[in-house]
Amino acid sequence: MPNHLPVPHDVVIAGAGPVGLMLACELRLAGVSVLVLEQAADPHSPLKRLPFGMRGLSAPTIEALYRRGMLDDIAAPQRAQDGRAAGHFAGIQFCHDDIDASKWRFRLPSPAGTSMAVEMASLESVLAARATAMGVEIRRGLGVQALEQSDDGVTIRAGGVTFHGRWLVGCDGGRSMVRKAASFEFTGTAPEFTGYSIAVEIADPDKLAPGRRYTPTGMYTYARPGTIAMVEFDGGAFHRSQPITREHVQAVLRRVSGTDVTLTALELATTWTDRACQATQYRSGRVLLAGDAAHIHSPLGGQGLNLGLGDAMNLGWKLAATVRGDAPAGLLDSYFGERHPVGAQVLDWSRAQVALMRPCRSSRALEAIIRDLIATPDCATYFAERVWGVSLRYDLGGGHPLVGRSVPDFELACGTKLGELLHDGRGLLLDFGARSALRAFADRRRDRISYVASDARDRLGLSAVLVRPDGFVAWATDIAPDPEETAQAAARWFGEPDAAYQKA
Ligand SMILES: Cc1cc2nc3c(=O)[nH]c(=O)nc-3n(C[C@H](O)[C@H](O)[C@H](O)COP(=O)(O)OP(=O)(O)OC[C@H]3O[C@@H](n4cnc5c(N)ncnc54)[C@H](O)[C@@H]3O)c2cc1C
């Protein structure tokens, strides 16, 4: 392929879905140039709007949006209603009243709660507007078709045009062309069912019971007047094999509901499966994967978007440091090391839900047991931890129990919340004791790390905390900090200080 573009972008991203756009914003925040190539000419789709475009966000995602100052824009039209129902596992609800949040030692009250709902269309439009305002170039109607790597970059063919980037990230969804073109291995488990999301007109709606129903032949969820999600255990055979017609979905609905319900019109329909696969590596040379391009699973658990946005937050600052040339050894590889296990857990979580949904006696027996357990405080708390993502902790190799967790939203003495200090995407050293040795250290690292000396309303027993750009704790101590130890932790994530700052 010819390599004729005069100025290659630092990073080319395939896919302007939520993950590609979030990653683009993170990279620009860290000062690298970004081009996004999107296959679809038009970003709008009825499937991104309510009811099918509804997505549940969990704590790490909401915290990321809050820390970058986007939460109000995204949350404004549709904050989740706080009813008794707090979330679900395979449709079995756990309740707020049963959750013992006092077990979460490192969570403090924050504008970023633990769960909320958004519309995909609104999330994407907020992210696209932010990316554009930051200087990201988004080109639509250009699907990546082929790529070729060299030692210093990647040449990309998209929509018949050639582009060049120093790095390429495939955020191009579950059927990722980047993943295939760069020969990533993608392994996992085969589908057991075809799932349908349909908007229909029903002649005799009383034949369907509202809410979620498990039946001897599958599962359906019905919301009046005509929104239905249903699952038929056909081994995933129908998905994308034929056009979705009214006659077909009526036949499936009749089988799954065990009724002779009649559909008079099919307004909107899409199918999905529970195929669960994950790339065995997230990086091949100068090509990386994030979001659905790196992992797919059943949407029933409602976690894929959260997983992908977590990838973007984790990858952005690490790839930016690599592009700038100031990344410490192993920083970029820690993206896979940290995010692959999180993805694997989510895939297993979705497989466990499929096992419970199977139309067989043993699954109904399992369902009955889970229903009993989920109503107990210990189990409700466990399910909330998993579904809301509050148990997420990267294994950063020991140290304080806060290390590897999302930083608590400390309220500083002046009333400012910590999350408000993370808008610029830099690291942050929070020194509750205002010690001169830490200040002197921070002065030498001011190229990468902001320094904040303040007491807090509740310090959680801490003395100092070093926060990574993605909002996760790199280092923390309950006792008077040793500047040498602080310097080592900083060097691990931020590299050695520039000579100019070293002298300061
Ligand atoms: C019915 C349903 C309900 C769901 N509910 C939830 C939920 O409640 N919570 C949750 O966390 N997740 C949920 N998910 C999953 C979530 O929607 C996905 O995980 C998320 O959209 C993945 O984002 P992405 O940016 O990785 O991929 P996508 O959203 O698929 O975006 C990929 C983008 O890449 C573009 N593209 C494709 N090929 C190319 C190419 N060759 N070149 C350039 N661009 C390309 C596409 O046009 C698209 O814009 C649900 C999914 C479904 C189907």
Side-chain angles (χ1 to χ4, degrees):
M1 275 189 285
N3 175 8
H4 55 65
L5 272 197
V7 186
H9 286 81
D10 290 327
V11 181
V12 176
I13 296 174
V19 175
L21 293 170
M22 186 75 158
L23 178 63
C25 292
E26 287 300 291
L27 288 163
R28 274 306 295 147
L29 199 55
V32 306
S33 66
V34 185
L35 168 68
V36 179
L37 300 173
E38 164 58 47
Q39 180 166 264
D42 180 1
H44 305 103
S45 155
L47 292 172
K48 294 180 185 174
R49 304 195 63 93
L50 300 180
F52 298 140
M54 174 71 82
R55 297 289 183 271
L57 301 186
S58 57
T61 303
I62 308 169
E63 284 166 356
L65 295 169
Y66 162 59
R67 288 170 182 155
R68 296 299 187 250
M70 285 186 277
L71 188 56
D72 288 343
D73 293 342
I74 287 165
Q78 51 220 330
R79 257 193 188 282
Q81 298 298 313
D82 253 13
R84 234 180 82 74
H88 73 91
F89 180 79
I92 305 171
Q93 290 183 339
F94 53 92
C95 297
H96 282 290
D97 297 351
D98 295 327
I99 297 166
D100 180 6
S102 69
K103 291 196 167 162
W104 304 332
R105 181 181 155 203
F106 294 117
R107 284 196 72 81
L108 288 170
S110 169
T114 44
S115 65
M116 62 179 270
V118 293
E119 186 183 41
M120 270 284 262
S122 127
L123 177 64
E124 281 191 2
S125 85
V126 168
L127 288 170
R130 174 176 161 91
T132 305
M134 293 171 89
V136 172
E137 192 182 341
I138 303 175
R139 299 194 53 182
R140 299 186 185 273
L142 292 172
V144 171
Q145 298 155 314
L147 60 96
E148 199 173 283
Q149 293 202 51
S150 67
D151 287 347
D152 62 353
V154 188
T155 302
I156 301 136
R157 193 85 184 148
V161 185
T162 301
F163 299 90
H164 190 75
R166 294 170 67 194
W167 294 82
L168 170 67
V169 188
C171 299
D172 48 343
R175 286 179 287 163
S176 169
M177 175 55 73
V178 171
R179 186 181 71 225
K180 290 168 196 155
S183 302
F184 283 90
E185 205 181 336
F186 199 53
T187 60
T189 46
E192 296 187 38
F193 63 66
T194 298
Y196 300 78
S197 296
I198 52 173
V200 288
E201 278 177 23
I202 309 174
D204 38 13
D206 291 341
K207 290 189 173 164
L208 297 176
R212 184 182 289 229
R213 303 285 146 180
Y214 288 107
T215 71
T217 45
M219 183 280 287
Y220 74 98
T221 306
Y222 173 44
R224 289 179 195 277
T227 304
I228 295 171
M230 60 184 176
V231 154
E232 184 169 49
F233 280 75
D234 63 349
F238 180 78
H239 178 61
R240 293 207 176 107
S241 65
Q242 303 159 50
I244 311 170
T245 62
R246 182 188 61 82
E247 291 75 14
H248 175 77
V249 293
Q250 176 176 282
V252 174
L253 184 56
R254 285 181 172 184
R255 283 197 293 275
V256 163
S257 65
T259 68
D260 60 353
V261 64
T262 297
L263 304 184
T264 48
L266 176 63
E267 288 160 1
L268 197 59
T270 184
T271 62
W272 28 273
T273 75
D274 58 320
R275 185 170 171 240
C277 292
Q278 190 175 19
T280 55
Q281 293 295 328
Y282 286 5
R283 177 185 168 193
S284 166
R286 288 178 169 271
V287 181
L288 292 132
L289 299 177
D292 278 12
H295 36 67
I296 54 164
H297 61 88
S298 150
L300 286 164
Q303 292 192 316
L305 174 61
N306 293 291
L307 188 56
L309 294 175
D311 292 346
M313 288 301 291
N314 191 286
L315 176 59
W317 66 282
K318 295 175 179 176
L319 181 55
T322 307
V323 168
R324 290 193 311 254
D326 53 44
L331 184 69
L332 190 55
D333 291 338
S334 73
Y335 164 58
F336 176 76
E338 292 174 18
R339 293 304 299 173
H340 187 273
V342 180
Q345 262 204 345
V346 169
L347 262 62
D348 275 348
W349 189 252
S350 78
R351 289 182 183 113
Q353 294 185 75
V354 173
L356 197 143
M357 288 168 48
R358 285 182 196 128
C360 63
R361 211 166 147 178
S362 48
S363 292
R364 297 289 59 74
L366 185 59
E367 180 199 342
I369 293 169
I370 299 287
R371 276 191 195 284
D372 281 349
L373 289 174
I374 215 166
T376 66
D378 279 351
C379 277
T381 307
Y382 169 81
F383 278 95
E385 278 172 10
R386 296 289 303 264
V387 172
W388 292 348
V390 299
S391 57
L392 175 61
R393 185 182 182 199
Y394 297 133
D395 180 3
L396 305 188
H400 192 280
L402 186 58
V403 169
R405 291 185 190 276
S406 177
V407 67
D409 199 19
F410 295 106
E411 183 178 334
L412 305 183
C414 60
T416 302
K417 299 283 249 174
L418 187 76
E420 297 163 30
L421 301 176
L422 297 172
H423 287 198
D424 63 5
R426 287 158 54 83
L428 186 142
L429 178 60
L430 179 55
D431 178 4
F432 292 116
R435 297 166 187 89
S436 55
L438 272 203
R439 184 180 294 277
F441 158 78
D443 270 351
R444 290 195 296 279
R445 301 313 318 263
R446 63 182 183 276
D447 55 330
R448 309 258 181 281
I449 303 170
S450 310
Y451 173 71
V452 175
S454 171
D455 202 351
R457 177 194 280 261
D458 182 354
R459 304 172 176 195
L460 299 171
L462 287 141
S463 172
V465 184
L466 179 64
V467 187
R468 307 193 314 189
D470 59 358
F472 282 75
V473 173
W475 168 87
T477 181
D478 293 338
I479 56 173
D482 170 4
E484 185 51 36
E485 196 187 315
T486 319
Q488 279 172 13
R492 177 176 173 199
W493 296 107
F494 300 94
E496 296 300 335
D498 284 350
Y501 291 104
Q502 186 97 52
K503 284 193 210 114

